[in-house]
Amino acid sequence: MTAILFGSISTLADTSEMQRRAFNDAFAKHDLGWTWSREDYASMLGGNGGASRIADYAASKNQEVDSAAVHSTKSEIFRTLLATEGIEPRPGVLDTMAKAREHGFKLGLVTTTSPENVSALLDSFETLSADSFDVVVDTTAVSQVKPDPASYLFAVDSLGEDAAHCVAIEDNEGGVASAAAASIRCVAFPNANTTGGDFSAAEEVVDRLDPNRLSTLAEGDNA
């Protein structure tokens, strides 16, 4: 048995620009006077963890900021945007999940975001829910954010699988590094703000998911 592991909510739907907008709205609510441009935000996406990004940015400006509080506001805004504006699945996602089920592969969602954000995203889909996955990993499962491999190790263990028989789909450098550290082959599926990243540790870089190719990788063919 093999498994396909989606490595972030933005591998299911490209929420990157919505997330950036939520950050900027949160900064305004906290009277920080910050605005992250697309270039600013893209430069921060080599690693994971929104609260860490806020803390690092505050330090670079010699400001003391309650990064956890700002990030909590950002997450609330993000969830509201998901509920009011909706999202669409990324190219090939639904076909990949259907093909995985047809082949008897397990499916995982392996994030280091909050369960509330995961639920808000899945609630925005008409065809997906937590029940679509055999395992969903969020911050309640592991405390270490990517590129630490903890989230992937937890997923593989929960599924009772061998990492060598799993394939991860990731949209940022930190996610790819996390999968590699867990000895899981990874397909890079960059979002709108991570297309310039270094994905040399991935098996390949794609702009849409090909269920047949992923099935081949999951079956253990590295050719």
Side-chain angles (χ1 to χ4, degrees):
M1 184 65 73
T2 56
I4 295 176
L5 308 174
F6 288 84
S8 74
I9 59 178
S10 280
T11 59
L12 298 176
D14 192 344
T15 63
S16 186
E17 272 298 282
M18 188 179 285
Q19 301 239 29
R20 183 175 71 90
R21 179 176 159 193
F23 274 113
N24 286 334
D25 287 353
F27 300 155
K29 283 184 176 292
H30 286 266
D31 298 318
L32 292 175
W34 302 350
T35 301
W36 286 352
S37 67
R38 288 193 71 170
E39 292 74 18
D40 292 332
Y41 190 50
S43 71
M44 302 174 190
L45 296 178
N48 297 68
S52 295
R53 289 188 196 111
I54 294 168
D56 290 345
Y57 189 75
S60 75
K61 299 179 75 67
N62 295 315
Q63 290 181 243
E64 288 194 13
V65 171
D66 187 342
S67 58
V70 177
H71 188 253
S72 178
T73 301
K74 174 263 175 183
S75 293
E76 291 174 6
I77 294 169
F78 174 62
R79 291 193 290 269
T80 298
L81 291 173
L82 281 173
T84 57
E85 298 187 4
I87 50 169
E88 294 292 332
R90 295 186 66 187
V93 166
L94 297 183
D95 287 345
T96 293
M97 295 182 73
K99 190 80 169 182
R101 291 304 186 196
E102 180 183 325
H103 280 252
F105 298 161
K106 295 177 183 176
L107 288 168
L109 176 58
V110 186
T111 80
T112 47
T113 190
S114 70
E116 292 83 6
N117 283 351
V118 172
S119 293
L121 178 96
L122 294 177
D123 287 346
S124 298
F125 286 111
E126 293 183 0
T127 54
L128 294 182
S129 70
D131 291 338
S132 303
F133 300 93
D134 297 289
V135 65
V136 175
V137 182
D138 55 43
T139 53
T140 63
V142 295
S143 58
Q144 304 97 317
V145 299
K146 299 173 185 178
D148 191 285
S151 56
Y152 276 113
L153 295 174
F154 180 91
V156 169
D157 184 62
S158 296
L159 292 172
E161 292 297 328
D162 185 330
H165 298 156
C166 299
V167 174
I169 301 166
E170 279 286 358
D171 67 338
N172 63 74
E173 293 177 26
V176 172
S178 174
S183 300
I184 298 173
R185 284 167 295 158
C186 185
V187 171
F189 188 28
N191 65 51
N193 286 322
T194 60
T195 53
D198 177 5
F199 297 112
S200 56
E203 294 283 315
E204 55 196 30
V205 181
V206 301
D207 58 11
R208 69 174 296 123
L209 297 182
D210 179 345
N212 292 321
R213 173 59 178 157
L214 287 169
S215 294
T216 299
L217 286 172
E219 288 165 350
D221 181 1
N222 275 317

